[in-house]
Amino acid sequence: MYRWQFGLTAVCHFLVVPITIGLALLVAGYETAWLRTGNRSWRRLAMFYGKLLLIGYAVGVITGIVQEFQFGLDWSPYEDVVSDIFGAPLAIQALAAFFVVATLLGLWYFGRDHLPGRVHVACVWLAAVAMSLSAYFITAVN
């Protein structure tokens, strides 16, 4: 039962997170196009795909937290063996994915009418870079 549940969580996480990382880069490109051209169509595209980005990010965070608990509870003998190697990159990834990206996406989404244009675009670019670094650390762990 637990392995089936872990597999379902892992598949959901594995499918949603790469799409979300790609969406972050797409939204950053749309925001940059809007800033350079002033065309409101780019802004509408960025906000539409930005909402999908936020939903995907939330699903990724939820499934990631569940996976961490499942590693600790269901795979504890495995964790005893690899925790010295697995722990540090996982902690770096968790800090980058949960705190840095959440802060930057919050600034991007809620500050769209309050921040200067360049700062607003920089927030989504930095979030996309932080997501990519987070993916790098998870890949390095694996």
Side-chain angles (χ1 to χ4, degrees):
M1 172 69 178
Y2 294 118
R3 290 182 185 217
W4 179 82
Q5 182 184 15
F6 180 80
L8 187 63
T9 304
V11 165
C12 183
H13 193 73
F14 184 75
L15 292 175
V16 170
V17 170
I19 292 170
T20 304
I21 294 170
L23 274 174
L25 294 170
L26 182 74
V27 170
Y30 287 157
E31 284 283 340
T32 303
W34 167 72
L35 184 65
R36 288 187 178 180
T37 65
N39 188 347
R40 297 201 45 86
S41 296
W42 293 117
R43 176 114 187 205
R44 283 185 296 161
L45 278 171
M47 295 316 292
F48 173 77
Y49 285 108
K51 289 176 185 174
L52 296 177
L53 167 68
L54 294 176
I55 292 167
Y57 177 74
V59 171
V61 167
I62 291 166
T63 56
I65 290 171
V66 170
Q67 271 189 316
E68 290 208 31
F69 279 109
Q70 288 174 333
F71 274 130
L73 295 173
D74 300 338
W75 300 78
S76 57
Y78 173 73
E79 287 292 313
D80 289 338
V81 175
V82 299
S83 62
D84 291 337
I85 298 166
F86 194 71
L90 188 62
I92 292 169
Q93 185 271 340
L95 285 173
F98 297 153
F99 298 114
V100 174
V101 175
T103 301
L104 290 168
L105 286 178
L107 284 171
W108 170 75
Y109 188 76
F110 295 111
R112 65 183 173 263
D113 295 326
H114 305 288
L115 295 173
R118 289 181 186 231
V119 175
H120 185 252
V121 172
C123 286
V124 74
W125 273 110
L126 289 172
V129 168
M131 283 183 193
S132 298
L133 285 173
S134 173
Y136 170 78
F137 280 108
I138 280 298
T139 305
V141 167
N142 291 329

